[in-house]
Amino acid sequence: MYELTGLPYLHSQELFCLYAFCQPYPHPVFKDLVKKILMACDGLPLSLIVFGALLSVYHDTSDWEAILHRLKLPNDIKDKLKISYDKLSEEEQQIFLDIACFFRGKNKNSAIAVWNGSSWQGSLGFKNLQLKCLVKVDNQDVIHMHDHLRDLGREIAETQSPRRLWRATGNISDWLHQQSSVSPQPFKHLK
């Protein structure tokens, strides 16, 4: 069995700095903090990209230190990635969860139309998720999200109320019965 390892230190630094500073090396004031962040990300490209994008908007070392402190606490990658989720606005968090549960692999414009129909700033929220490297769009406008981010979003969605009905394997009829006092009617097959 082959054990997958993270990127070497110099490649990790280049990748992280391209997203954090728009250049392949750290700003001198942040050099020591970058080293600590690289250690916390352990060479994982997704973490390096997501945290580089997250930290790119912070220009004070105290903000970086606060985020670095949160990075050191959890050992699990999902816990680390959740820091970026927690920094989103409430509306952006809902859009992120919708993508994780429904819109991954779907057309971007269709998803934005749904969010705009919910009186959200769908286009702006989606663009912010792209800028933070939480989602990508291919040349055919199909939404893509890394499996780790999708799993994180689905775990968060499972704990929220009201819950999203996204599991194709779940029995929606039973769930509806548990959530209301009205007995569900059997689903009829459409022809």
Side-chain angles (χ1 to χ4, degrees), residues 27-53:
H27 187 279
V29 175
F30 292 92
K31 194 172 185 178
D32 290 335
L33 289 169
V34 167
K35 286 181 185 178
K36 292 177 182 177
I37 289 167
L38 295 179
M39 295 294 287
C41 290
D42 199 25
L44 296 172
L46 177 63
S47 296
L48 295 164
I49 291 168
V50 169
F51 288 114

Side-chain angles (χ1 to χ4, degrees), residues 17-78:
C17 289
L18 283 171
Y19 285 88
F21 304 109
C22 295
Q23 60 189 23
Y25 51 87
H27 187 279
V29 175
F30 292 92
K31 194 172 185 178
D32 290 335
L33 289 169
V34 167
K35 286 181 185 178
K36 292 177 182 177
I37 289 167
L38 295 179
M39 295 294 287
C41 290
D42 199 25
L44 296 172
L46 177 63
S47 296
L48 295 164
I49 291 168
V50 169
F51 288 114
L54 169 68
L55 292 167
S56 69
V57 299
Y58 296 103
H59 305 290
D60 188 81
T61 56
S62 63
D63 294 328
W64 278 52
E65 288 169 355
I67 291 171
L68 179 61
H69 176 72
R70 290 182 65 191
L71 258 179
K72 283 184 171 182
L73 295 177
N75 290 325
D76 183 39
I77 186 67
K78 286 184 210 162

Side-chain angles (χ1 to χ4, degrees), residues 59-188:
H59 305 290
D60 188 81
T61 56
S62 63
D63 294 328
W64 278 52
E65 288 169 355
I67 291 171
L68 179 61
H69 176 72
R70 290 182 65 191
L71 258 179
K72 283 184 171 182
L73 295 177
N75 290 325
D76 183 39
I77 186 67
K78 286 184 210 162
D79 291 337
K80 290 179 180 179
L81 292 174
K82 190 170 182 304
I83 295 168
S84 291
Y85 170 83
D86 292 339
K87 292 286 184 181
L88 299 173
S89 71
E90 186 176 330
E91 191 170 287
E92 290 169 347
Q93 287 179 350
Q94 295 305 312
I95 291 172
F96 175 86
L97 296 178
D98 283 350
I99 293 169
C101 295
F102 303 114
F103 294 117
R104 186 173 175 241
K106 305 291 189 242
N107 181 274
K108 173 188 84 166
N109 297 320
S110 298
I112 288 173
V114 169
W115 298 317
N116 288 342
S118 299
S119 300
W120 291 351
Q121 298 286 324
S123 184
L124 179 63
F126 186 82
K127 185 70 171 172
N128 285 335
L129 294 179
Q130 282 185 287
L131 291 172
K132 293 174 180 168
C133 300
L134 297 173
V135 296
K136 292 182 180 184
V137 176
D138 66 20
N139 59 359
Q140 296 177 338
D141 282 339
V142 174
I143 300 171
H144 297 277
M145 176 182 273
H146 193 281
D147 291 347
H148 290 316
L149 292 168
R150 178 209 56 207
D151 293 347
L152 168 69
R154 289 179 175 182
E155 284 182 18
I156 293 168
E158 289 275 327
T159 65
Q160 289 190 340
S161 182
R163 292 178 59 193
R164 284 173 168 74
L165 297 176
W166 60 273
R167 285 191 184 267
T169 59
N171 190 330
I172 294 174
S173 199
D174 289 342
W175 184 85
L176 287 171
H177 182 66
Q178 292 172 354
Q179 299 299 316
S180 69
S181 59
V182 178
S183 296
Q185 298 299 314
F187 288 85
K188 306 233 185 229

